[in-house]
């Protein structure tokens, strides 16, 4: 546009006339017609006028040319001005539009950048926030279905059946036969009269697989309540089934397995034993032995212990327990608080350990604690006297200090505490069947194994409950522990 103005300014009158001459031809022709007419008129007047006609014509021609020249310049300026205004408007509109587009794009970029920044800040804040685990709402306790089943059994029991349910006895002790090898009418009558909690079987009760399987099956059917069917099946020399004519896989004694240091062998032994006991019909195995023996062994236990290192014995016990329990058979740790250091045999009289409680914690308790944590259902308490622990010098099976204060409270055992066989001389030489039964329950035992005289022991315990010496609720506490084991499979 600047160049256009420069061009207009630089034109002379003649140059401008030449540039636009062609555009004005029509206008010139019209002017010439007018001029001719004027000329004719002027000629006519000149004839009458005394002045020089040529001079007048030239002046008029010059005036007209000047007028037309000015008009053309004016029109040209107006045209170019209009063009310039239009161009300026277009340019201005483009600039405004461009500015708006640029502003919109910039705003969009800024919004996106702000959103990205906010998202990054939120992500950073979220990563720095530590979310506390919400507290479990305990307004209503979780429903204990097993507990309901247990209570259903206990609530329907007469007191006579409740008391009988705390005993585990041989089939001979309730039937009166010398060697029970079948469960017939005599067994049915005995179980109707004494609804014992369990029966234990020995070599004389087992002849072959078919016989013992049928006997156990019939006994289960005849019992009014779920019943424990127990056996000592440790492996090695103490294996009532494996050492009979029943064909099962033989398992090494615990000393041999312990010497290998291979805990997998202990687990496999537990699985093997548990599997064939389950198949036959047993549901409780009084094993494994959790006693720690001194270096050089122990004549009483012989090859029944895994060894002398508490931790190593504990590892073996854990695997044995897991193997047995995994088959659906209950395991039993024995002989608490540990008879490994005792030199006497409780089968033959009083036996004693002089270890202090701290010494037991470092040695004897280690395998028991491990077995408890592994899930053993039972712990069998021996008749050994822990003279440095129990001030009254009572056998552990009759000691509240050992069973309640130590085993139940300190070691946290929640399963069934069962006494060792109460027909051993460590008990019978000092206590009657009646005394032993009542004292054991008062001290914290849940089940009484093989009293010397079952009938007397049962009658004495029933009388103690009836006269208030032992509360019925105390009996119910033990029954709840017993039936949580017996009824566990009912929820599967």
């Amino acid at each position: 546009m600047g160049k256009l103005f420069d061009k207009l300014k630089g034109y002379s009158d003649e140059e401008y006339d030449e540039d636009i001459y062609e555009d004005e031809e029509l206008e010139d022709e019209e002017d010439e017609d007018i001029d001719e007419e004027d000329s004719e008129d002027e000629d006519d007047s000149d004839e009458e006028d005394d002045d020089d006609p040529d001079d007048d014509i030239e002046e008029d021609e010059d005036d007209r040319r000047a007028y037309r020249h000015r008009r053309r310049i004016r029109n040209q300026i107006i045209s170019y001005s209009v063009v310039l205004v239009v161009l300026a408007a277009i340019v201005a509109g483009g600039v405004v539009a461009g500015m708006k587009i640029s502003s919109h794009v910039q705003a969009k970029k800024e919004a996106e950048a702000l959103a990205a920044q906010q998202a990054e800040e939120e992500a950073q804040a979220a990563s720095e926030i530590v979310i506390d685990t919400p507290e479990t709402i305990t307004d209503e306790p979780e429903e204990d279905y097993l507990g309901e089943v247990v209570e259903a059994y206990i609530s329907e029991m007469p007191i006579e059946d409740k008391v009988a349910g705390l005993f585990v006895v041989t089939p001979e002790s309730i039937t009166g036969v010398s060697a029970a090898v079948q469960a017939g009418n005599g067994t049915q009558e005995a179980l109707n009269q004494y609804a014992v909690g369990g029966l234990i079987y020995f070599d004389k009760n087992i002849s072959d697989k078919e016989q013992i399987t049928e006997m156990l099956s019939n006994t289960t059917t005849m019992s009014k309540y779920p019943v424990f069917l127990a056996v000592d099946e440790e492996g090695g020399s103490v294996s009532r089934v494996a050492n009979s004519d029943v064909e099962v896989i033989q398992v090494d004694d615990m000393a041999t397995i312990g010497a290998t240091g291979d805990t997998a062998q202990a687990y496999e032994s537990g699985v093997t034993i548990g599997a064939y006991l389950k198949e036959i019909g047993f549901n409780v195995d009084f094993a494994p032995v959790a006693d720690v023996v001194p270096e050089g062994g122990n004549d009483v236990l012989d090859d029944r212990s895994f060894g002398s290192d508490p931790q190593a014995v504990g590892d073996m016990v854990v695997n044995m327990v897991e193997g047995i329990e995994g088959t659906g058979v209950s395991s039993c740790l024995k002989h608490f608080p540990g008879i490994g250091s005792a030199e006497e045999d409780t089968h033959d009289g009083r036996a004693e350990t002089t270890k202090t409680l701290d010494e037991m914690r470092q040695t004897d308790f280690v395998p028991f604690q491990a077995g408890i944590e592994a899930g053993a259902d039972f712990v069998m308490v021996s008749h050994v006297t822990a003279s440095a622990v129990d001030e009254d010098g009572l056998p552990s099976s009759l000691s509240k200090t050992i069973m309640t204060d130590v085993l139940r409270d300190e070691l946290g055992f929640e399963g069934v505490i069962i006494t060792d066989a109460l027909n051993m001389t460590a008990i019978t030489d000092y206590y009657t069947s009646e005394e032993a039964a009542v004292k054991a329950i008062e001290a914290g035992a849940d089940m009484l194994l093989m009293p010397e005289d079952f009938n007397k022991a049962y009658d004495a315990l029933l009388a103690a409950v009836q006269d208030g010496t032992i509360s019925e609720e105390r009996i119910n506490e033990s029954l709840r522990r017993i039936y949580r084991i017996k009824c566990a499979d009912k929820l599967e």
Side-chain angles (χ1 to χ4, degrees):
M1 293 180 194
K3 291 180 179 180
L4 181 59
F5 281 110
D6 292 337
K7 186 176 181 181
L8 292 174
K9 290 178 182 180
Y11 280 157
S12 65
D13 291 344
E14 293 78 10
E15 290 172 339
Y16 188 83
D17 287 340
E18 289 176 0
D19 287 341
I20 65 174
Y21 179 76
E22 292 178 357
D23 296 329
E24 297 175 345
E25 286 181 350
L26 181 59
E27 184 178 353
D28 289 341
E29 289 175 358
E30 293 174 355
D31 291 340
E32 287 176 1
D33 291 339
I34 296 171
D35 291 340
E36 288 177 359
E37 292 176 359
D38 293 338
S39 175
E40 290 176 358
D41 293 336
E42 288 174 357
D43 288 341
D44 291 339
S45 61
D46 286 341
E47 291 178 357
E48 300 173 357
D49 195 346
D50 292 336
D51 294 329
D52 187 353
D54 293 331
D55 294 335
D56 293 334
I57 292 171
E58 288 177 0
E59 286 180 2
D60 293 337
E61 183 67 23
D62 291 335
D63 291 336
R64 285 193 295 272
R65 286 183 179 277
Y67 172 76
R68 288 196 301 270
H69 178 67
R70 289 192 299 272
R71 187 177 63 183
R72 290 190 191 103
I73 291 174
R74 183 193 64 192
N75 291 339
Q76 193 70 27
I77 290 173
I78 292 172
S79 298
Y80 282 121
S81 297
V82 170
V83 171
L84 289 173
V85 170
V86 172
L87 289 175
I90 292 172
V91 171
V95 171
V96 172
M99 291 177 64
K100 288 183 178 180
I101 293 172
S102 176
S103 176
H104 178 72
V105 171
Q106 183 64 26
K108 185 175 181 181
K109 289 182 178 180
E110 291 177 355
E112 292 176 349
L114 180 60
Q117 182 179 358
Q118 290 176 344
E120 183 178 354
E121 291 175 353
E122 290 174 358
Q124 180 67 24
S127 65
E128 295 175 354
I129 295 175
V130 178
I131 301 176
D132 294 330
T133 302
E135 296 182 1
T136 302
I137 299 174
T138 57
D139 293 338
E140 295 183 4
E142 184 177 351
E143 194 165 2
D144 183 2
Y145 294 105
L146 179 56
E148 292 180 3
V149 174
V150 169
E151 291 299 330
Y153 274 107
I154 296 174
S155 63
E156 298 297 325
M157 289 182 183
I159 190 60
E160 292 80 6
D161 288 352
K162 288 184 177 182
V163 170
L166 305 186
F167 287 88
V168 176
V169 298
T170 64
E172 290 81 11
S173 66
I174 58 172
T175 60
V177 301
S178 58
V181 293
Q182 63 179 354
N185 293 333
T187 301
Q188 182 68 80
E189 292 176 2
L191 291 174
N192 288 342
Q193 183 177 0
Y194 299 110
V196 292
L199 294 165
I200 182 171
Y201 299 83
F202 290 88
D203 301 357
K204 65 181 179 181
N205 304 122
I206 305 170
S207 57
D208 57 55
K209 185 175 182 179
E210 182 179 359
Q211 169 267 323
I212 187 60
T213 301
E214 181 180 1
M215 183 180 184
L216 297 179
S217 178
N218 290 342
T219 301
T220 300
T221 302
M222 294 173 181
S223 179
K224 290 190 289 185
Y225 309 103
V227 61
F228 288 136
L229 303 175
V231 67
D232 290 305
E233 198 75 13
E234 301 173 6
S237 59
V238 181
S239 300
R240 314 302 185 191
V241 175
N243 292 336
S244 70
D245 291 334
V246 178
E247 294 184 3
V248 295
I249 299 174
Q250 299 288 325
V251 174
D252 286 334
D253 59 69
M254 299 302 97
T256 299
I257 295 173
T260 68
D262 184 4
T263 56
Q265 289 193 32
Y267 177 78
E268 292 170 2
S269 296
V271 171
T272 298
I273 292 173
Y276 67 68
L277 291 183
K278 181 73 171 180
E279 182 181 1
I280 292 170
F282 290 104
N283 53 29
V284 176
D285 182 13
F286 288 138
V289 171
D291 297 297
V292 178
V293 297
E295 290 288 345
N298 177 285
D299 292 338
V300 175
L301 290 171
D302 195 20
D303 58 4
R304 298 169 62 193
S305 168
F306 285 112
S308 58
D309 180 87
Q311 188 60 55
V313 173
D315 292 340
M316 292 290 177
V317 166
V318 166
N319 281 272
M320 187 82 169
V321 166
E322 291 178 347
I324 296 172
E325 294 274 349
T327 66
V329 174
S330 293
S331 63
C332 177
L333 307 174
K334 60 185 186 185
H335 308 82
F336 190 81
I339 61 174
S341 61
E343 297 180 357
E344 303 86 2
D345 188 346
T346 55
H347 290 81
D348 302 324
R350 185 178 185 275
E352 181 181 2
T353 176
T354 59
K355 284 185 177 180
T356 64
L357 190 57
D358 285 339
E359 289 173 333
M360 288 183 173
R361 288 174 180 140
Q362 297 173 15
T363 55
D364 300 88
F365 291 173
V366 173
F368 285 99
Q369 184 72 74
I372 289 170
E373 293 175 0
D377 286 331
F378 288 76
V379 170
M380 181 181 289
V381 179
S382 73
H383 306 310
V384 68
T385 299
S387 55
V389 179
D390 186 276
E391 297 178 353
D392 297 327
L394 294 170
S396 295
S397 57
L398 308 182
S399 169
K400 182 178 181 297
T401 300
I402 296 298
M403 289 194 286
T404 299
D405 298 344
V406 177
L407 179 55
R408 189 71 78 195
D409 296 341
E410 182 176 333
L411 272 63
F413 182 56
E414 297 179 353
V416 172
I417 296 176
I418 187 170
T419 68
D420 203 344
L422 292 170
N423 60 1
M424 295 181 183
T425 56
I427 296 298
T428 59
D429 284 353
Y430 303 94
Y431 307 94
T432 65
S433 295
E434 297 92 330
E435 290 173 335
V438 173
K439 285 184 176 293
I441 296 300
E442 288 179 325
D446 296 307
M447 301 198 84
L448 309 173
L449 178 62
M450 297 169 56
E452 181 182 27
D453 189 318
F454 164 69
N455 296 100
K456 291 181 178 180
Y458 168 78
D459 290 340
L461 187 56
L462 178 59
V465 176
Q466 290 173 333
D467 67 18
T469 301
I470 298 175
S471 70
E472 184 173 354
E473 179 55 29
R474 168 66 188 86
I475 303 300
N476 289 342
E477 288 177 5
S478 290
L479 288 173
R480 290 188 185 99
R481 297 186 187 104
I482 293 166
Y483 274 82
R484 289 190 76 88
I485 298 171
K486 289 184 175 182
C487 296
D489 61 346
K490 296 185 182 298
L491 300 183
E492 298 177 357

